[in-house]
Amino acid sequence: MFDLACYAAREETSKGRLYKETGPSHRNQYQRDRDRIIHSAAFRRLEYKTQVFVNHEGDMFRTRLTHSIEVAQIGRTIARALKLNEDLTEAICLAHDLGHTPFGHAGQDILNVCMREHGGFEHNLQSLRVVEVLEERYAEFPGLNLMYETREGILKHCSRTKATELGELGRRFLEGRHPGLEAQVANVADEIAYNNHDVDDGLRAGLITVKQLKECELFNTQQITVKKQWPELHERRMIHEIIRRMINSLVSDVIATSQKNISKLRPADIDAVRDADMALIGLSREMSANQIELRRFLHKNLYRHHRVQQMMRKTKKIIKALFDAYMTEIGIVPGDFQQSALKFEGKAGVSDRARAIADYIAGMTDRFAIAEYERIIKPLE
Ligand code: MG
């Protein structure tokens, strides 16, 4: 075990698992969580789910799986430097996107629209639902039966209505409290990972250019240094050299700023972290402004690029058509999901049918959703 600070999450003081289990023989409890996440079906499916680019657009782009691995790698570095629980951080990072629908944010937005009358769809809540309910891997309990702190970290955001339904896990959203530091690290690592890899993927796809990116301080500073040191460097290597330096500058800043915050507050344990007035893990004001500038740039020039928008329009149509078809004709939904839709419907009406269908659709990979669309919708068009 690593050298843990007093404010790190530790299994001795953990709120534990929902279902009692004997402890693992060769690992600690959070390593067990990480391994359960890696063995889950939802984790494997991340390989074929969109981050920004639809999976079949090219083999070079990030998928949700490689994104999650990059988040975990950044998260572990920060956690270890701050003497936090690295295993817990890794588990949260690897699980944070398990509930994502196919086709990235476009998929989630349209599924939320489809579910408007039935309680909505939130991908964070869905990640929790995957590990608590949907995974079927163990004889003694549903889901993965993860530790409280892991589930606390997975639930990054949540609406007030849902928070009320969630009991203890949702309470912090109502009381404006914070999760443990490992969860805060995962959150920051997520943002560092996607901002930087989206620059890389966006450049590779030719949707944004180095010239445009110079308007972003974070990119421009590193660009000047790299160009000065290696004026003849080939563009691809130059881009990668710039991005690795951007990641390093953000990670170093998070570690230094968070260390400062922690030293100021001196939390005695994880509960003091939860009760603190502010999140203790974060960037300095200057770096945070730089990161926001980059995020705005990406929104304007990459996520709203017409080619990305055209793809999103198509994928929204696919999800909406599948949802409507399954709602009207539950008989075309395969075995397990059909059974649970019908079982629930007997109890609580059509919204539970909708929930079972949303679970089914959210679990699909990009290519499976496209294949389903071609199989059951296209021939009837
Ligand atoms: Mg993410």
Side-chain angles (χ1 to χ4, degrees):
M1 196 64 191
F2 312 108
D3 183 15
L4 281 185
C6 58
Y7 41 79
R10 30 186 87 228
E11 50 186 87
E12 309 88 79
T13 53
S14 165
K15 298 190 189 180
R17 303 181 188 276
L18 283 178
Y19 302 87
K20 278 245 168 317
E21 290 185 64
T22 39
S25 338
H26 314 290
R27 301 164 290 178
N28 67 53
Q29 298 280 12
Y30 299 109
Q31 283 178 301
R32 174 185 258 181
D33 278 10
R34 176 205 56 204
D35 297 350
R36 286 184 176 181
I37 290 157
I38 288 177
H39 286 289
S40 71
F43 185 74
R44 281 193 299 284
R45 286 199 217 107
L46 295 177
E47 184 175 1
Y48 299 105
K49 289 192 182 201
T50 293
Q51 183 65 24
V52 172
F53 298 91
V54 174
N55 181 251
H56 62 261
E57 284 188 356
D59 291 343
M60 301 296 274
F61 299 122
R62 268 72 175 183
T63 65
R64 287 255 161 230
L65 180 66
T66 60
H67 161 70
S68 301
I69 295 171
E70 288 183 34
V71 175
Q73 160 257 327
I74 291 171
R76 286 175 56 191
T77 302
I78 301 172
R80 196 185 292 201
L82 296 172
K83 295 196 166 46
L84 298 175
N85 195 315
E86 188 178 329
D87 298 319
L88 170 60
T89 309
E90 185 180 17
I92 298 170
C93 292
L94 292 176
H96 84 285
D97 271 350
L98 286 180
H100 252 291
T101 60
F103 312 127
H105 284 275
Q108 164 200 308
D109 292 348
I110 189 68
L111 198 52
N112 189 28
V113 172
C114 294
M115 289 293 288
R116 198 182 288 149
E117 306 292 315
H118 312 293
F121 180 87
E122 299 171 31
H123 77 270
N124 267 171
L125 266 181
Q126 191 68 13
S127 298
L128 191 66
R129 198 168 151 75
V130 165
V131 302
E132 287 190 343
V133 184
L134 297 177
E135 280 293 324
E136 295 176 305
R137 309 197 70 79
Y138 302 95
E140 290 176 17
F141 44 80
L144 306 180
N145 196 31
L146 302 179
M147 296 287 274
Y148 178 89
E149 295 71 25
T150 313
R151 293 182 297 122
E152 178 189 44
I154 291 173
L155 193 63
K156 191 159 77 173
H157 315 285
C158 156
S159 63
R160 288 187 73 84
T161 331
K162 294 289 175 193
T164 320
E165 293 166 18
L166 284 173
E168 187 176 5
L169 209 57
R171 205 171 303 143
R172 76 178 159 97
F173 298 97
L174 303 170
E175 295 171 352
R177 292 164 83 240
H178 301 282
L181 294 181
E182 290 78 2
Q184 296 183 27
V185 166
N187 213 349
V188 173
D190 185 20
E191 202 166 341
I192 295 177
Y194 69 66
N195 281 323
N196 285 283
H197 65 48
D198 287 354
V199 168
D200 188 19
D201 282 352
L203 285 168
R204 187 187 298 276
L207 301 184
I208 51 176
T209 63
V210 168
K211 195 165 160 238
Q212 278 178 309
L213 273 159
K214 286 186 198 165
E215 56 181 84
C216 295
E217 186 65 32
L218 209 53
F219 187 92
N220 197 38
T221 316
Q222 304 302 339
Q223 198 271 141
I224 293 169
T225 322
V226 173
K227 195 94 202 168
K228 204 165 156 195
Q229 204 170 340
W230 296 282
E232 305 300 328
L233 197 61
H234 180 271
E235 186 171 270
R236 184 122 299 281
R237 280 172 72 182
M238 181 190 68
I239 290 167
H240 290 152
E241 184 64 35
I242 293 169
I243 294 174
R244 72 174 269 250
R245 285 161 182 259
M246 283 163 61
I247 297 174
N248 184 52
S249 69
L250 288 159
V251 168
S252 307
D253 186 87
V254 169
I255 294 169
T257 310
S258 309
Q259 192 65 70
K260 228 184 275 170
N261 295 340
I262 292 168
S263 313
K264 221 187 283 173
L265 189 85
R266 295 169 166 273
D269 54 23
I270 189 170
D271 280 327
V273 167
R274 291 177 173 132
D275 288 336
D277 290 340
M278 55 179 273
L280 299 178
I281 304 295
L283 290 164
S284 64
R285 196 174 297 169
E286 190 198 340
M287 275 306 231
S288 168
N290 289 346
Q291 183 161 259
I292 291 168
E293 181 187 52
L294 179 62
R295 198 170 49 200
R296 287 208 182 113
F297 172 90
L298 289 170
H299 268 280
K300 184 168 147 230
N301 300 294
L302 180 61
Y303 310 142
R304 284 207 285 271
H305 191 285
H306 71 270
R307 270 176 51 204
V308 174
Q309 292 291 321
Q310 284 168 359
M311 178 274 285
M312 284 185 170
R313 187 167 155 264
K314 249 192 286 178
T315 55
K316 280 185 174 178
K317 190 180 161 200
I318 292 175
I319 297 229
K320 170 95 173 64
L322 287 176
F323 184 86
D324 291 345
Y326 296 147
M327 278 301 272
T328 4
E329 211 179 329
I330 195 69
I332 58 174
V333 175
D336 284 1
F337 285 93
Q338 186 181 138
Q339 274 166 20
S340 83
L342 292 172
K343 185 175 81 195
F344 286 137
E345 195 171 279
K347 273 195 258 163
V350 76
S351 282
D352 282 340
R353 172 199 283 222
R355 183 60 58 197
I357 290 169
D359 287 340
Y360 179 48
I361 292 178
M364 290 179 182
T365 58
D366 293 0
R367 59 183 188 176
F368 184 81
I370 294 170
E372 272 292 277
Y373 180 82
E374 309 247 314
R375 207 167 56 80
I376 67 172
I377 313 278
K378 262 259 181 87
L380 305 175
E381 270 180 348

